[in-house]
Structures are given as C-alpha cells and as structure tokens.
Amino acid sequence: MEKKLEQIDQPLMTVKDLEKTFYDGAQTKALCGVTFNIKEGEFVAIMGPSGSGKSTLLHILGFLDHATGGEYLFEGKSQSDLTDEELAHVRNKKMGFVFQNFNLLARTSVLENVKLPLLYSGIKEKEWDAMAREVIKTVGLEHRLDHEPAQLSGGEKQRVAIARALINNPKVIFADEPTGNLDSKSGKAIMEVLQTLNEKMGHTIILITHETYTAEHAERILFVRDGKIESDRRVDNRLSANQFIK
C-alpha cells in the first residue's frame, strides 16, 4: 500500500539542477541549475523576459532538446535513460504542443491538419476521422472541418493547433506563447480553451508567456530570469475562464 501511495504522489515532472549550455562560437549558459516539480493536472505558467531561458526550458521538458547538466524525469523516468525512439514515442503519445506560429500545413484542411499526429500513433486509419472530428468539436470548430488555414482567423488557427495537440489525448500540453500572434479578444478565447482542458478534462498545461494577464489563468507561476528560477508562486486571484465568455 505504501508503494502504491508513493507512486500516486510522484510528480509528473521532476527537474533537478537542470543546466543548458549552447556552444556556437561562444559559450552561452541558458539554464543555470533549475529545480522544481510539476504534478499531474497542474496548470503552470513559465514567465520571464526575452532571453531568460523559458523557451529553452520548455524544449527540454517536451523532449525537444537535451539538458547539458542536471536531471529531468518524466513519470519517474530520466530523459537521459531513454533512447531517441523512446523519447519520440513519449512525445507523440503523452505530450501535445501548441506554438505561437500555429505550424499548420497550408492548402490542407482543418480535419487533415488535426489528423497528422496519428500517422505515428499505431491507431488504425479507419478510426482517424472520428477521433479528429471529436477534438475539433471540443475546440468549437466543427463548422470549419473543410477549411484551409488561409480561410481561418488567427484565433481559429490556434484552435486547430490545440485540437491537433489533443488528438492523442496527451497527459501534458505545452503552449509556447499561444496568444502571441492574436488580438486580445482571440487571446482570451484561447486561454479559455486551455483552462477548460485543464479544469474539465484534467490535462496538465505548461504555458510559456511574457504577459501577466495570460499567466494568471494558471494556478502557479514560475518566473525565470537569467536562466534561474527567480520565484515560484501560487496564483491567489486566478482568472476564471468564464469571465471571457461573451
């Protein structure tokens, strides 16, 4: 029983003395001994000025890059102990990604864009359409199934990106400046979607942002400066998603 309780209490992500140094002619230290844990089901915002190391941190947490020092564990397994094939499997099955620039394929429908991660899922192709339609409905775009990105607004493009991130029902969604290319109304709508995914569907959300009002949709904010965690605080007056439902 004690062992079972210990497994339940184990953080989803454990970061210990994490370091990242880039070597490109000169040596640049992007992360300097960062340490924190993230529990399953948390909504955590990582804030900091440009060049602070927040995007570098997200890339390591999402298995898109490797640390040069320290340790990162996902579900209790060290990144350094996993092969490239194992990392790719975890990234595809348990992680979803949403980026500022949407990263949608042009001249490809909403439905086909959302289905893309299923190419490497091992799920039978005959099931793909139904799965994609379901997550597209979740983000409120079922009326745009056959539209291409050029026919969508910025907010709609980001909803497609969120649906694509959801298609494999990941444990964690990484959102890197998801409102950065949107007007304030569309940005609030996107934060409403992410907060609903966290509160109603239980997805862990890791948000990278430089905007305080965006970060305050999270329940916890890590502030990064010069590659170090300057503060780690709970959000006392967390913004409610339904504040922005018109």
Side-chain angles (χ1 to χ4, degrees):
M1 178 62 73
E2 289 182 5
K3 184 176 181 181
K4 187 174 181 181
L5 289 174
E6 183 181 329
Q7 288 173 342
I8 292 173
D9 292 338
Q10 184 182 70
L12 178 64
M13 303 176 192
T14 302
V15 175
K16 298 178 181 178
D17 300 319
L18 202 69
E19 298 183 358
K20 179 64 178 181
T21 302
F22 293 100
Y23 301 92
D24 187 16
Q27 179 175 309
T28 303
K29 202 154 192 176
L31 295 174
C32 310
V34 172
T35 297
F36 61 89
N37 294 331
I38 293 176
K39 296 179 181 178
E40 187 169 348
E42 279 197 283
F43 190 150
V44 180
I46 301 175
M47 290 190 69
S50 179
S52 61
K54 59 186 186 296
S55 289
T56 299
L57 181 56
L58 179 142
H59 289 163
I60 294 172
L61 295 179
F63 289 168
L64 299 171
D65 199 359
H66 291 268
T68 50
E71 189 173 30
Y72 168 41
L73 289 81
F74 183 83
E75 295 184 319
K77 296 180 180 179
S78 176
Q79 180 185 26
S80 60
D81 290 339
L82 300 175
T83 66
D84 288 344
E85 184 177 348
E86 289 170 332
L87 290 172
H89 176 77
V90 173
R91 198 163 51 234
N92 188 56
K93 297 292 289 185
K94 298 188 177 183
M95 299 176 175
F97 297 89
V98 180
F99 296 102
Q100 180 175 344
N101 294 323
F102 319 127
N103 294 346
L104 302 179
L105 292 183
R107 295 184 296 281
T108 304
S109 71
V110 166
L111 184 65
E112 294 303 316
N113 263 289
V114 171
K115 284 159 56 175
L116 281 173
L118 297 175
L119 288 169
Y120 312 101
S121 67
I123 297 170
K124 294 178 180 178
E125 190 171 352
K126 65 181 181 181
E127 299 177 26
W128 293 1
D129 268 24
M131 293 175 65
R133 288 173 186 272
E134 183 63 28
V135 293
I136 291 168
K137 183 178 180 180
T138 297
V139 301
L141 281 182
E142 58 268 37
H143 59 299
R144 293 283 194 260
L145 283 174
D146 298 321
H147 286 62
E148 296 179 1
Q151 299 171 299
L152 304 176
S153 68
E156 287 173 333
K157 290 176 185 176
Q158 197 59 289
R159 285 172 183 261
V160 176
I162 292 171
R164 183 182 57 194
L166 283 173
I167 192 69
N168 279 320
N169 193 28
K171 278 198 170 183
V172 56
I173 296 172
F174 295 98
D176 192 354
E177 299 281 7
T179 64
N181 281 338
L182 305 178
D183 60 52
S184 59
K185 183 178 180 180
S186 297
K188 288 173 182 177
I190 290 302
M191 292 311 304
E192 175 190 329
V193 171
L194 290 175
Q195 197 164 342
T196 299
L197 293 176
N198 173 248
E199 294 177 356
K200 302 292 171 58
M201 299 178 68
H203 294 283
T204 305
I205 309 288
I206 310 298
L207 169 73
I208 299 291
T209 184
H210 64 276
E211 300 165 330
T212 301
Y213 77 87
T214 301
E216 287 180 348
H217 283 275
E219 53 192 349
R220 177 182 170 200
I221 298 176
L222 300 177
F223 194 90
V224 181
R225 189 186 300 276
D226 298 327
K228 299 177 181 178
I229 301 291
E230 188 173 87
S231 64
D232 180 352
R233 68 176 178 87
R234 309 299 296 183
V235 178
D236 294 327
N237 298 306
R238 185 184 184 192
L239 292 177
S240 171
N242 61 20
Q243 284 181 241
F244 303 112
I245 299 175
K246 303 298 183 182

